[in-house]
Amino acid sequence: LGEIGRIRMDPTLVLRIETLEGEAPEAGERYWRGLAFDHFDGRSWSITPPSRERVPGDSEIGVDLGYRAHGRRLVQRIAREPIDPGVIFSAGAATGIHGPLGRLERDANGALYAHSTAGERADYTIASDFVVRDDDAIRRDDAVRPDDGGERYLALPDLSPSVRQLADQITQGLTSDADRALAIETYLRRQGRYSDTPPVVSRDDSRSPIEVFLLGGTEGHCEYFASAMVVLARSVGLPARLVNGFAGGRRNQVAGFVEVTSSDAHAWVEVHYRKLGWLRYDPTPPDLRLAGALGAGGSLTELASALEFWWFRNVVDFDRGH
């Protein structure tokens, strides 16, 4: 915990996104999914098992990722700056990808990696299953573990009994899984206060930082809010995981694409339902998260970014695919 707080201080450009097919999401619905984490030891998140499998096919020709869609199709062309270990970002669960990415791998939670691009820019077109959450529709579904070893999405570290009591208190009297998940998200949004510098918990302190966050002042950045929601959701039997990526971004008015910087780094939550699959919840108070999307970049800055992007795509990155 704490990495995103440092990343959000960095204004470095990370992604440029053009929407090629489908309706471009509004600022409040713009999320680019990177990694999903299932294991929490009280202080750190990890992916279990850590092994990855090769994705069959050639990305230069185009790869169907075999994902069963639940929402609407959204196709975006993304120029990603160098990111270790070559994570591929998408606006929702990726269903297909095309671009000079070399060998593709996928981890246990479905995240994509193109290791040959870790130290360089990557330019790819990716189709995603873009789902706008409909809480009324979700009430007709129920939250269940996925078939692929889903018990890890309910595992909890050793925490104070007061955390479970808080989860029970928040969801008391609610009969549907959708209402329980929504109640936890709403509680954290209303009770919490955003801060990029949350209280530090000493390594000598036996308490998890999430215990301190939930049972203290509920003050922290998105990693704390998302971790807290996963812990509370699992405490009442809702299979959940934490997702890292980027959210918001700012539209370049000169060229029309969306620019995403490191300061747009964000963490949110996914809860798994029987029919609708993994659905996004964002328990972080939205006012500060969207500050970048609502701000002004300046016409000269946007023009410089548009020209640099054109030069990269049409000169530097011009290859046999183009």
Side-chain angles (χ1 to χ4, degrees):
L1 291 173
E3 287 297 320
I4 281 186
R6 288 187 286 273
I7 294 170
R8 281 181 55 84
M9 301 300 168
D10 182 0
T12 304
L13 187 67
V14 178
L15 305 173
R16 293 183 177 100
I17 302 106
E18 298 175 277
T19 298
L20 305 180
E21 182 181 331
E23 185 178 347
E26 296 296 323
E29 290 293 330
R30 291 200 296 246
Y31 291 79
W32 290 276
R33 192 178 183 282
L35 303 178
F37 298 87
D38 55 84
H39 179 69
F40 184 53
D41 65 8
R43 290 181 179 270
S44 300
W45 284 96
S46 58
I47 299 168
T48 57
S51 58
R52 300 167 192 162
E53 63 177 15
R54 182 171 184 175
V55 177
D58 185 341
S59 62
E60 287 200 51
I61 297 173
V63 175
D64 182 348
L65 297 170
Y67 181 83
R68 184 169 66 89
H70 301 281
R72 69 173 189 261
R73 177 179 166 86
L74 181 65
V75 180
Q76 295 185 319
R77 188 173 181 184
I78 298 179
R80 192 216 67 205
E81 297 299 313
I83 288 182
D84 186 46
V87 176
I88 297 299
F89 295 89
S90 61
T95 60
I97 190 167
H98 175 261
L101 299 172
R103 176 189 174 109
L104 288 174
E105 294 181 349
R106 182 162 39 195
D107 68 23
N109 290 320
L112 290 171
Y113 306 78
H115 289 283
S116 64
T117 70
E120 58 187 43
R121 282 172 160 171
D123 189 6
Y124 58 92
T125 299
I126 191 160
S128 303
D129 180 34
F130 186 75
V131 177
V132 177
R133 201 179 83 212
D134 182 344
D135 290 314
D136 288 334
I138 304 172
R139 289 186 180 96
R140 298 189 291 273
D141 205 344
D142 57 331
V144 298
R145 297 177 297 175
D147 296 331
D148 56 340
E151 65 277 355
R152 68 187 191 273
Y153 300 115
L154 287 170
L156 286 166
D158 187 19
L159 298 171
S160 165
S162 297
V163 173
R164 173 58 189 268
Q165 292 169 8
L166 176 61
D168 290 338
Q169 176 185 331
I170 294 170
T171 59
Q172 185 177 10
L174 301 176
T175 57
S176 77
D177 291 334
D179 284 333
R180 281 190 280 271
L182 179 60
I184 294 170
E185 179 189 53
T186 302
Y187 171 84
L188 290 168
R189 282 191 169 203
R190 290 179 177 173
Q191 295 293 120
R193 193 166 74 86
Y194 195 100
S195 171
D196 278 321
T197 55
V200 176
V201 179
S202 168
R203 282 282 176 182
D204 298 329
D205 194 328
S206 62
R207 297 174 300 169
S208 165
I210 296 307
E211 286 181 62
V212 177
F213 173 80
L214 278 172
L215 305 177
T218 323
E219 179 178 350
H221 54 65
C222 56
E223 253 185 326
Y224 285 77
F225 283 94
S227 299
M229 179 165 180
V230 172
V231 165
L232 292 172
R234 291 182 179 185
S235 295
V236 293
L238 304 177
R241 63 190 183 188
L242 180 140
V243 179
N244 276 356
F246 298 94
R250 178 161 47 212
R251 185 174 180 81
N252 184 302
Q253 300 298 329
V254 175
F257 54 77
V258 174
E259 296 176 322
V260 175
T261 67
S262 290
S263 59
D264 295 309
H266 193 51
W268 58 94
V269 176
E270 290 178 344
V271 175
H272 189 267
Y273 289 87
R274 186 187 305 277
K275 299 174 185 175
L276 298 173
W278 291 103
L279 296 180
R280 183 181 70 240
Y281 289 82
D282 191 347
T284 303
D287 51 350
L288 194 104
R289 178 178 70 79
L290 293 175
L294 301 176
S299 58
L300 287 178
T301 301
E302 292 181 352
L303 177 60
S305 178
L307 289 173
E308 195 272 341
F309 184 39
W310 182 92
W311 183 259
F312 160 67
R313 177 162 283 176
N314 295 287
V315 180
V316 178
D317 197 47
F318 193 84
D319 60 12
R320 62 192 179 93
H322 291 90

